[in-house]
Structures are given as C-alpha cells and as structure tokens.
Amino acid sequence: ERITTDMATLTKEIDKFAKDRKLEIEMLKVREEYRKEFLGNVSHELKTPLFTVQGYILTLLDGAIKDKNVREKYLNNANKGVDRLIYIVRDLDMITKLEIGDLSLNIETFDIVELIKSVFELFEMKASKKHITLTFDVDYKEPIYVIADKERIQQVLTNLIVNSIKYGRQQGTTEVSIENLIKNKIIIRVTDNGEGIEEKHIPRLFERFYRVDKSGSRKEGGSGLGLAIVKHIIEAHDEKIYIESEFEVGSEFSFTLEKSE
Ligand code: ADP
C-alpha cells in the first residue's frame, strides 16, 4: 500500500519535472529565436548606411575627388551616413540596456513645462523645414512639477516630437498638451495631423525595428527603435502609454506621469 502511494507521488514528480524542463527548453528556444532575429535586424539596419558611405568614398576615389564641388557634396553626404550610423548605435545601446534592465532610473522632481519648452526649442529648425507649427497647449505660466527621470523623459518627448515632425504633413501642426488625470497624475499628449497609422499596424508599433513603411525607399531615416525605447522608459516608471491614430488624419501618443504635490 505504502509503496504504491510513493510510486504515485514519484511519478507525479517526474512528470512535473519533465514538464518544467520542457517549458524551460521552449523558453530557451524562443529566446534564441529572438536573439537571432535581433542580430539579423541589427545587421540589416547597419548595412544600408554603411553601403551609402562606402558608395560616396568609392566614387571619390574613382576620380570625383578632383572636382571641388563634387568633393564637398560627397563628403557631406558620407558624413550624414556616419551620423545615421552613430544614431542607430546609440539607440541600440539604449534598447539593450533597457531590455536587460541595466538602466536604473534617476528619479528627481522637475518642471515638465520647462522640459517640454526646451525640447521644442531643439526641434524648431527641423519643424520649420516642413513648415510645421509646434504648439504648447494652455498657457502654462506656472511650473508643473513631476517625479521622474528627467533625462529619460526628455528622450521620450524627443522621440515622440521628432516622429510627429517626421511623419507630419507639410504645414501641419504638432501639439503638446498637459492635462490633470487624477489626483497626482498628469497625462501628456503629443498630437499631430500627419500621415496617421493604419489600424492593423498599431498593435506592433512599439516593437523594436517595427516600421509601417519597410521599403528601402523610405524617405524618413530612423532606427525603428524610437517607440520601443519610449515604451520601455514609460513602463520602467510604472506609467502608461497610449496611442490613437487615424490613417491620413493624424496620431496622438500620450503618457502619464506622477505629479509632485
Ligand atoms: P522610426 O525610426 O522608424 O521612426 P519608431 O519606433 O520611432 O521608428 O516608429 C516606428 C514606426 O511607427 C515608424 O516607422 C512609423 O511608421 C510609425 N510612426 C511613429 N510615429 C508616428 C507618427 N507620429 N505618425 C505616423 N506614423 C508614426
């Protein structure tokens, strides 16, 4: 009698062990696939600007170097390609740190109104090239203090504002607004009236390297990591991020922050 019971327990335990191992192996397989896909994406993203830079250098070596105007133009273009590479590597570095949880937050109290204004100032030139107006809704004469990692929130605002300009229409608008949500929460919205996003793409938008326009002829450069970084940063703060978009009408990205009393 005793032995049978023990045998039954043992069998159950062996079953459980086998099941756990199987799950573990499945997990490892998924992780391995993920890693392969990541590496594949990284090399793909680096290839285009590298070949572009190489193209300009080879043309210069091939004789173009003798003409002063062509020389300057090609060197400038090559430099732009290098800039893009630096930008991609910086984003990759950031996403890797965020994903392995290696990026601790430096929480402080700061004025979000001032931060938004300073980000606007940085991108005024970029916006004016497309005749896009940047507006900051409500006359925030008063500071609004929030508790968060200022540098990371600046990155979130930068990525969202840059996107709204990149995917905005000529003569369009980018508007940032702040609203009280509940007692100690505010919601910040970045709204544009640009190209918008088709509904089918929305669930995947925050994945790293996901882009609506995958063609090589895409006019707007970028790493495809901007929104993945935004999502990580907001979630690391235990806050929420939302997106609302209508194709060919515009998009609104919003996120919550904790207000200081
Ligand atoms: P990218 O470097 O391609 O801009 P992101 O992660 O920042 O990468 O954005 C992912 C994709 O989401 C973009 O390629 C674009 O298709 C879409 N997207 C992001 N922001 C907007 C926006 N404001 N309006 C329309 N599409 C957007």
Side-chain angles (χ1 to χ4, degrees), residues 45 84 87 91 159-168 190-198 201 204-214 218 220-230 243 245-246 250-253:
E45 288 303 318
R84 203 163 127 55
Y87 176 82
D91 276 0
N159 290 4
L160 295 181
I161 291 169
V162 167
N163 276 352
S164 75
I165 299 170
K166 271 196 327 199
Y167 305 106
V190 180
T191 316
D192 66 62
N193 57 357
E195 59 190 58
I197 303 153
E198 276 176 281
H201 297 291
R204 301 198 56 194
L205 224 54
F206 290 100
E207 281 174 28
R208 55 185 187 203
F209 301 115
Y210 190 81
R211 279 157 159 175
V212 171
D213 180 1
K214 289 175 190 58
R218 188 178 47 221
E220 296 297 350
S223 62
L225 292 170
L227 287 180
I229 290 173
V230 163
I243 167 173
S245 188
E246 198 176 329
S251 314
E252 180 179 285
F253 291 82

Side-chain angles (χ1 to χ4, degrees), residues 56 58-68 70-71 74:
Y56 286 116
L58 287 177
T59 318
L60 282 166
L61 289 175
D62 217 30
I65 200 161
K66 293 191 190 98
D67 183 324
K68 185 175 177 295
V70 175
R71 183 166 67 216
Y74 282 16

Side-chain angles (χ1 to χ4, degrees), residues 5-215:
T5 325
D6 280 350
M7 274 303 281
T9 321
L10 199 63
T11 317
K12 239 192 225 160
E13 254 163 38
I14 290 171
D15 274 357
K16 188 177 173 308
F17 177 76
K19 214 169 147 195
D20 285 354
R21 284 293 297 153
K22 217 170 151 193
L23 268 175
E24 221 170 274
I25 292 166
E26 285 306 313
M27 283 272 288
L28 283 175
K29 271 190 200 154
V30 170
R31 226 175 271 164
E32 180 59 17
E33 278 308 306
Y34 205 56
R35 203 179 63 87
K36 272 191 206 146
E37 193 195 306
F38 183 68
L39 286 177
N41 279 327
V42 170
S43 43
H44 177 82
E45 288 303 318
L46 294 178
K47 242 187 260 164
T48 318
L50 273 173
F51 283 144
T52 310
V53 173
Q54 190 187 39
Y56 286 116
I57 293 174
L58 287 177
T59 318
L60 282 166
L61 289 175
D62 217 30
I65 200 161
K66 293 191 190 98
D67 183 324
K68 185 175 177 295
N69 289 336
V70 175
R71 183 166 67 216
E72 246 179 65
K73 190 172 143 200
Y74 282 16
L75 281 174
N76 264 317
N77 288 344
N79 192 40
K80 272 187 203 151
V82 174
D83 266 353
R84 203 163 127 55
L85 283 165
I86 292 172
Y87 176 82
I88 294 172
V89 171
R90 218 194 41 209
D91 276 0
L92 276 170
D93 194 43
M94 170 78 76
I95 197 89
T96 311
K97 281 186 178 147
L98 285 164
E99 286 193 359
I100 56 178
D102 196 22
L103 204 121
S104 54
L105 294 179
N106 185 12
I107 301 290
E108 55 179 319
T109 303
F110 62 92
D111 178 11
I112 187 76
V113 174
E114 190 197 300
L115 187 70
I116 293 171
K117 281 182 183 159
S118 72
V119 176
F120 264 15
E121 264 164 37
L122 286 176
F123 296 103
E124 235 150 39
M125 269 283 278
K126 194 176 169 72
S128 72
K129 278 188 189 143
K130 277 177 93 171
H131 306 283
I132 287 178
T133 321
L134 301 178
T135 60
F136 192 5
D137 190 28
V138 196
D139 51 342
Y140 291 108
K141 292 192 182 74
E142 299 285 315
I144 297 177
Y145 291 104
V146 294
I147 306 167
D149 183 323
K150 187 173 175 183
E151 212 178 304
R152 300 276 91 82
I153 298 301
Q154 170 161 8
Q155 170 111 49
V156 167
L157 286 164
T158 299
N159 290 4
L160 295 181
I161 291 169
V162 167
N163 276 352
S164 75
I165 299 170
K166 271 196 327 199
Y167 305 106
R169 68 184 73 219
Q170 293 277 341
Q171 267 133 6
T173 56
T174 288
E175 183 180 282
V176 177
S177 68
I178 304 178
E179 216 182 287
N180 275 313
L181 205 59
I182 44 171
K183 196 169 151 279
N184 57 350
K185 288 265 181 228
I186 56 164
I187 185 159
I188 298 171
R189 300 177 207 277
V190 180
T191 316
D192 66 62
N193 57 357
E195 59 190 58
I197 303 153
E198 276 176 281
E199 209 178 326
K200 62 174 185 210
H201 297 291
I202 291 182
R204 301 198 56 194
L205 224 54
F206 290 100
E207 281 174 28
R208 55 185 187 203
F209 301 115
Y210 190 81
R211 279 157 159 175
V212 171
D213 180 1
K214 289 175 190 58
S215 64

